[in-house]
Amino acid sequence: GNSVTQMEGPVTLSEEAFLTINCTYTATGYPSLFWYVQYPGEGLQLLLKATKADDKGSNKGFEATYRKETTSFHLEKGSVQVSDSAVYFCALSALTGANSKLTFGKGITLSVRP
Amino acid sequence: EPEVTQTPSHQVTQMGQEVILRCVPISNHLYFYWYRQILGQKVEFLVSFYNNEISEKSEIFDDQFSVERPDGSNFTLKIRSTKLEDSAMYFCASSPLAGAGDTQYFGPGTRLTVL
């Protein structure tokens, strides 16, 4: 079946540091890949997505490239801010029957210090 | 910007009691989902719903669970007889379309605590 593996956390960085959060996946067919973010006290929000191999998703300075050869979708940001402190979830979606469902990684907590 | 809402934000119940978790999806969306996250574990798919029918359900979604769209706006998850292991954060999501690349929009979640 489909699965998503994220690097273990939590991650603590200083403001303006470079961020990489690793995500790898196992899937049959041609999944779409997503990063969702959960800020304290809020629901899951889509951060970015990529729907086919070599696509790059980007939003709010975050980027991730869909790498089919390494089955990865690592999240990067060049300079993190305190406001980026949140839980980050990697997920994949594959069409199954009438609709699709998301398969999530475990999530990783990012804390950014001023 | 339209958003998915969920009530209550926190529900505490005794084991064996019935609970109903409520969600109001985004108004023009057609596909609805429930997920849950047990503390410290992954977010897991429970069920998807379209055209007043369950489209797909996971192994977790046994006979104790049911979903309903009682009117044009609400989408509910009912647990008939709660167990301790049902304690989790429950997320509702909706999407306008159901392709693999289509975004699902999530609510803030309901934290269910079963005592």
Side-chain angles (χ1 to χ4, degrees):
Chain A
N2 298 336
S3 67
V4 175
T5 303
Q6 289 184 235
M7 59 184 278
E8 292 291 323
V11 173
T12 302
L13 296 173
S14 298
E15 202 165 26
E16 298 183 4
F18 183 83
L19 169 71
T20 299
I21 301 177
N22 289 342
C23 171
T24 57
Y25 68 91
T26 303
T28 53
Y30 303 96
S32 294
L33 301 172
F34 302 79
W35 277 99
Y36 277 84
V37 59
Q38 185 177 31
Y39 298 104
E42 299 183 17
L44 298 166
Q45 300 175 22
L46 178 68
L47 180 60
L48 54 82
K49 69 180 184 182
T51 58
K52 61 183 187 294
D54 300 325
D55 268 3
K56 178 187 283 187
S58 61
N59 185 25
K60 299 182 182 179
F62 291 89
E63 292 183 342
T65 301
Y66 188 159
R67 301 282 188 204
K68 191 176 178 183
E69 63 275 14
T70 54
T71 61
S72 64
F73 192 54
H74 304 322
L75 183 68
E76 295 183 336
K77 186 174 186 181
S79 175
V80 294
Q81 306 301 311
V82 172
S83 57
D84 294 326
S85 298
V87 182
Y88 291 81
F89 295 91
C90 185
L92 70 81
S93 174
L95 192 60
T96 55
N99 55 18
S100 57
K101 64 182 181 186
L102 289 165
T103 300
F104 284 88
K106 200 169 180 179
I108 186 169
T109 300
L110 169 67
S111 299
V112 180
R113 298 184 298 240
Chain B
E1 186 175 331
E3 57 184 22
V4 177
T5 59
Q6 290 185 244
T7 54
S9 56
H10 192 189
Q11 173 89 47
V12 181
T13 190
Q14 295 291 324
M15 191 169 56
Q17 295 297 304
E18 175 183 286
V19 295
I20 297 176
L21 310 183
R22 291 183 166 80
C23 169
V24 179
I26 295 173
S27 63
N28 62 345
H29 286 188
L30 301 176
Y31 299 86
F32 313 112
Y33 308 84
W34 283 101
Y35 293 82
R36 79 171 186 190
Q37 185 181 29
I38 295 172
L39 189 64
Q41 298 186 24
K42 295 185 178 186
V43 177
E44 302 170 290
F45 168 79
L46 291 178
V47 65
S48 57
F49 191 86
Y50 168 69
N51 199 26
N52 284 320
E53 289 183 345
I54 290 175
S55 303
E56 185 177 356
K57 57 184 180 179
S58 71
E59 292 176 354
I60 303 166
F61 195 90
D62 61 21
D63 292 344
Q64 293 300 311
F65 291 87
S66 62
V67 289
E68 193 178 31
R69 190 153 161 81
D71 52 44
S73 59
N74 290 283
F75 179 50
T76 62
L77 174 69
K78 181 192 290 187
I79 309 175
R80 290 193 183 83
S81 177
T82 50
K83 307 182 186 72
L84 295 176
E85 54 266 36
D86 294 328
S87 295
M89 181 73 88
Y90 288 81
F91 293 105
C92 173
S94 69
S95 64
L97 299 169
D102 292 305
T103 301
Q104 293 180 23
Y105 296 83
F106 283 77
T110 292
R111 180 167 297 285
L112 176 64
T113 302
V114 182
L115 302 176

